[in-house]
Amino acid sequence: MDNLGFVLGASAIGAGLAMIAGLGPGIGEGICGGKAVEAIGRQPEASGAITRQMIIGDALAETTGLYSLIVALLLMYANPFIGQLK
Amino acid sequence: MINTAAVLMAEERTFTVDGPLKSIVFELFGKEWVIAETVFTQWIVMLVLAVLFFILGRNLKLKPEGKRQVIAEWIVGFFTGYVEDSMGVKYKKRFGPYIGSLFCFIILSCLMGLFGLKNPTSDVSVTASWAIITFVLVLWTKLKTGGVKGYLHSFIEPMPFMLPFNIIGDFANPIAQALRLFGNNVSGMVIGGLVYFALGSFAILVPAVLSLYFDLFSAVIQSYIFVTLTMSYVAMADMSEE
């Protein structure tokens, strides 16, 4: 197997592995949404404020997932390892 | 047999996420200058917004006569009310216009993907520049409300050993904000492109549903989050006692 093929294949696997980090934000947003529904159930009149806070919480929980997405995108479109072959 | 067919099919189509407009490269003063595709798209967005709000804001009356002024007043009222809700009355006048125009600009930029143009938010330098504006606003608010002494003192609160964490925290906010908007939009574009590529000539219903989610829903939510985070960062940076 030539080096380029190996690097490309390993990069594709790495991009896939990086996206496993999507688990964390998924769980976090699930907890966040569940708690928000609980809070609205207890205090329906505060639903506007709770929803606003929930969306901010979701956005913050999402950040780690986006970092992994950036890594995966780098491996897919701007692979830094190919340049090191030469 | 199937494998070779798949490879042949894959070779005919190339996977790309570029839009129909191209970047312009020209020479001036002996240097090469590049106007990126996303800059063009932003000019279109600016033009649309400028024309729209010029028409909406023309010859206003004390008592609204047509639908036009009612719509304009509703938009302004919505954003000032939103700023007042999240930041307090103090910032209503000062931040209402900025937050409103930022929201309109981001949401229209995100929706440019629907018209087949390259989404400006899928360029990390665009989102980074918006995040830097927020960073400067936070810095300015801190310096204005706390003075230089208060600003420097905020780094060693609550304990002096928190200094490195506070410095990292200050710089992490704009980076996270830029990458959040960029990541959300570019992920939608990449997933949409991959699905188109994978389905080939069978791409009928699935990309439309994906586009509905990524281009419409995600765009609205992300622009909302971006302006909300901008407001909460600035409100948190306010060190004046009230």
Side-chain angles (χ1 to χ4, degrees), chain A residues 19 29 48-49 51-67 69-70 73 76-77, chain B residues 15 17 82 85-86 172 175-176 179-184 186-187 190 194 221-222 224-225 228-229 232-233:
Chain A
M19 289 316 293
E29 284 179 22
T51 312
R52 208 177 304 141
Q53 293 297 324
M54 184 198 78
I55 287 174
I56 298 174
D58 276 353
L60 293 177
E62 215 173 37
T63 312
T64 47
L66 289 171
Y67 291 152
L69 174 78
I70 304 285
L73 285 178
M76 279 163 77
Y77 296 113
Chain B
F15 174 61
V17 288
Y82 183 41
D85 275 356
S86 342
I175 295 173
L179 288 184
R180 182 173 302 121
L181 192 57
F182 166 72
N184 271 291
V186 89
S187 67
V190 168
L194 283 174
I221 291 287
Q222 288 310 317
Y224 174 76
I225 285 172
T228 309
L229 283 177
S232 46
Y233 286 156

Side-chain angles (χ1 to χ4, degrees), chain B residues 65-126:
Chain B
E65 280 173 355
K67 274 183 196 160
R68 189 171 52 79
Q69 190 175 343
V70 175
I71 293 171
E73 282 181 5
W74 181 80
I75 293 173
V76 172
F78 174 78
F79 284 116
T80 45
Y82 183 41
V83 172
E84 194 182 349
D85 275 356
S86 342
M87 297 172 82
V89 192
K90 193 181 156 193
Y91 286 98
K92 186 175 145 188
K93 276 267 163 61
R94 213 185 302 159
F95 266 72
Y98 172 65
I99 293 297
S101 45
L102 185 69
F103 184 83
C104 292
F105 191 56
I106 295 177
I107 200 167
L108 206 62
S109 300
C110 293
L111 293 180
M112 276 291 134
L114 282 181
F115 301 108
L117 297 168
K118 190 173 177 183
N119 191 336
T121 47
S122 62
D123 190 344
V124 75
S125 42
V126 174

Side-chain angles (χ1 to χ4, degrees), chain B residues 115-153:
Chain B
F115 301 108
L117 297 168
K118 190 173 177 183
N119 191 336
T121 47
S122 62
D123 190 344
V124 75
S125 42
V126 174
T127 57
S129 58
W130 294 341
I132 287 169
I133 297 174
T134 302
F135 180 69
V136 172
L137 274 177
V138 167
L139 203 65
W140 182 74
T141 313
K142 274 185 180 172
L143 284 173
K144 204 185 170 201
T145 54
V148 178
K149 199 179 155 208
Y151 172 64
L152 293 176
H153 195 262

Side-chain angles (χ1 to χ4, degrees), chain B residues 165-183:
Chain B
F165 303 105
N166 281 333
I167 293 174
I168 294 171
D170 254 24
F171 286 99
N173 280 348
I175 295 173
Q177 216 183 358
L179 288 184
R180 182 173 302 121
L181 192 57
F182 166 72

